[in-house]
Amino acid sequence: MLLMLPPHIASARAPERAAPAAQTAFERRAAQLVDLFGGKIAYSDYFDPHFQTAVPEPQFDAFRAGLIAQYGQAVAIDKITAADDRSGTVLLRLERGVATVLIDVGIAADARVTGLRVTGITVPGDNFDKVAEEIAQLPGQKGFLVAELDGSIIRPLASANADRQFATGSTFKLYILDELAAQVTAGKRRWSDVVPLSHVSFSSAATANWPEKTPVTLQTLANWMISVSDNGAADTLIHLIGREAIEARMRSAGHAAPSLNIPLLTTVEAFALKGNNFNDLRPLFVKGNDAVQRKLLKDNRHRLTLANVDGISFTAGPRFIDSLEWFASPNDIARLMVDLRARQSKTILEAMAINNGVGPVAAADWAYLGYKGGSENGVLSMSLLGQRKSDGRWFVVTASWNNPEANVAAERLVALVTRLLALAAHDRHAAPASGTPPAARHP
């Protein structure tokens, strides 16, 4: 299957080398990559039928077009490294970078490709200003922050609109994780506690079609909620540990505008209110204060259920992302990462590291890398917590992109955020001179 993992940035260009003579099935297909990305080889001639089913031609064409728009045309093969006769790695030179491409070739006589992944792109001479300029060109609203975390001190390295509140989608689940860990630390719960899967939800990657009341541990719910953003796991935890307790944790973690997320919506409540089945209730909810909104949720709890979520409503584009969402600024996310680290919980860090969001190439410079993202139509948010291999320092890289008018192109922000991550990995100005005041402090 094709997967565009975010690019990894290098400070120097890979040396130009001619591709070795094509001999094995892998080498023959690797040598054709320039023509493939240039549209000179037919999709069906290059890819195996199984690949074509998993990644239809329009999807591949969109991926190729996005890659070319950002990094230019493919111009040469720099290096081919075979793992065996049918798989290996290719360095594909583009006009503005070098892509690392993993290829697997099938065993059929025609030796068509069964797997193709772009796992990184090096950009020569990259810097924070270049990335900030490209982020600024994205349509809609956007903001980001790259900062070193020194205990409770947040030292920004680069940022734009870091105090602006953005819709962040499932990034709010980090607040659930934070409160759950706090309750475990307080002895109220244990990670090994077994609870029923009490609230199934819409768009749940792990718990879809699972029987309600299936017994699972709290750690399993946390892992599902963070690694695959499972909504059923999130809603089960909200009902278990308490909506108001999570809201209090959000305030204590330093959220600058907590009322935007009070009452904290479950995923079912949010999906339901956004849909056409609740055109009557939605305006009342949006206009109400925290107390009014909380009462509306309570009074309509028998209506705001998964059975009443109108999935058709979400096929046409963004839905009320400026009023029915979970909101946070890049600085709020940084303060949340400070709070999560302060838990000193191995289980928290492990949950966040199951899916690091950027793949192995981009993660290579980090001793630890945890991630949580969030997305829906018109919304994309990415937040990473990392410890550098080179010196053990901790960093947060977070960015959000909202466009109420149209869906956002995920691959564009993924690439930009991963460039920020790579720049943070190699930045040598993270520690300020003695006496430099901190940019922000954890409350």
Side-chain angles (χ1 to χ4, degrees):
M1 292 179 64
L2 173 140
L3 173 63
M4 173 56 181
L5 291 177
H8 177 60
I9 314 307
S11 58
R13 294 163 63 99
E16 295 203 18
R17 294 178 53 182
Q23 297 176 351
T24 67
F26 160 70
E27 289 170 341
R28 288 195 299 273
R29 289 303 183 184
Q32 294 174 329
L33 276 179
V34 172
D35 287 342
L36 174 70
F37 281 89
K40 297 178 181 178
I41 295 180
Y43 167 86
S44 59
D45 290 342
Y46 191 82
F47 291 111
D48 178 270
H50 294 290
F51 184 98
Q52 296 179 39
T53 299
V55 185
E57 186 171 3
Q59 183 178 341
F60 178 78
D61 287 343
F63 163 76
R64 182 179 62 182
L67 188 71
I68 291 171
Q70 190 160 2
Y71 298 104
Q73 295 286 345
V75 294
I77 302 295
D78 276 359
K79 185 178 181 180
I80 295 176
T81 304
D84 53 47
D85 287 353
R86 295 189 177 274
S87 64
T89 304
V90 185
L91 296 184
L92 173 66
R93 178 164 296 282
L94 308 169
E95 291 174 317
R96 294 185 293 277
V98 177
T100 300
V101 186
L102 305 184
I103 295 179
D104 295 303
V105 179
I107 61 174
D110 57 9
R112 283 185 284 179
V113 168
T114 58
L116 185 151
R117 291 184 294 155
V118 176
T119 61
I121 298 179
T122 60
V123 178
D126 210 12
N127 58 55
F128 285 124
D129 289 340
K130 288 182 180 179
V131 182
E133 183 178 350
E134 292 185 40
I135 290 176
Q137 293 172 0
L138 298 173
Q141 298 82 45
K142 52 272 174 181
F144 77 94
L145 172 69
V146 179
E148 181 184 3
L149 304 183
D150 183 3
S152 63
I153 299 172
I154 301 171
R155 297 191 181 102
L157 303 181
S159 67
N161 300 319
D163 285 319
R164 180 168 183 162
Q165 295 292 324
F166 294 93
T168 62
S170 288
T171 302
F172 89 97
K173 294 168 184 173
L174 288 174
Y175 287 110
I176 304 174
L177 182 68
D178 197 11
E179 174 56 22
L180 176 59
Q183 293 188 14
V184 170
T185 299
K188 186 175 181 180
R189 305 184 189 281
R190 297 175 300 175
W191 292 109
S192 59
D193 286 349
V194 176
V195 299
L197 181 65
S198 61
H199 289 77
V200 293
S201 182
F202 181 69
S203 187
S204 294
T207 62
N209 301 316
W210 276 53
E212 196 172 347
K213 309 304 182 185
T214 296
V216 289
T217 67
L218 292 184
Q219 186 169 358
T220 298
L221 289 173
N223 287 345
W224 281 342
M225 177 179 70
I226 301 303
S227 66
V228 294
S229 209
D230 188 88
N231 290 326
D235 284 4
T236 293
L237 286 172
I238 291 173
H239 285 279
L240 178 69
I241 67 180
R243 191 196 309 262
E244 294 187 11
I246 300 166
E247 294 165 357
R249 181 61 50 196
M250 176 181 60
R251 287 191 291 264
S252 68
H255 196 293
S259 181
L260 292 174
N261 299 323
I262 297 175
L264 186 83
L265 294 172
T266 66
T267 65
V268 163
E269 289 167 343
F271 283 126
L273 286 169
K274 285 173 176 281
N276 292 331
N277 289 341
F278 288 89
N279 290 337
D280 59 334
L281 186 59
R282 182 172 52 250
L284 299 176
F285 184 88
V286 170
K287 293 177 182 178
N289 60 26
D290 294 352
V292 169
Q293 290 178 339
R294 202 179 295 279
K295 186 175 186 303
L296 285 171
L297 293 182
K298 181 179 179 181
D299 292 347
N300 291 275
R301 62 187 180 278
H302 299 302
R303 289 183 62 201
L304 293 165
T305 63
L306 180 59
N308 289 327
V309 171
D310 173 24
I312 301 300
S313 302
F314 300 94
T315 61
R319 299 279 297 184
F320 310 104
I321 67 171
D322 56 349
S323 56
L324 279 170
E325 250 287 346
W326 302 276
F327 297 92
S329 70
N331 277 328
D332 289 334
I333 298 299
R335 289 187 284 267
L336 172 57
M337 293 298 191
V338 168
D339 208 56
L340 287 164
R341 279 194 65 214
R343 299 272 155 250
Q344 297 185 333
S345 168
K346 181 172 178 282
T347 305
I348 280 181
L349 296 181
E350 288 175 340
M352 293 175 62
I354 294 171
N355 170 14
N356 68 29
V358 294
V361 177
D365 293 317
W366 300 89
Y368 169 83
L369 194 62
Y371 169 78
K372 185 71 192 82
S375 65
E376 67 170 271
N377 293 342
V379 173
L380 185 60
S381 178
M382 298 181 66
S383 297
L384 297 112
L385 173 67
Q387 183 183 32
R388 280 199 314 208
K389 278 184 180 178
S390 60
D391 54 16
R393 291 175 178 168
W394 287 83
F395 294 82
V396 59
V397 177
T398 181
S400 290
W401 179 15
N402 296 171
N403 188 353
E405 305 302 323
N407 293 337
V408 298
E411 67 276 4
R412 295 184 66 182
L413 188 66
V414 168
L416 293 164
V417 167
T418 313
R419 288 168 62 187
L420 292 175
L421 182 70
L423 290 167
H426 299 284
D427 185 84
R428 294 304 169 209
H429 302 88
S434 177
T436 301
R441 289 189 179 274
H442 176 57

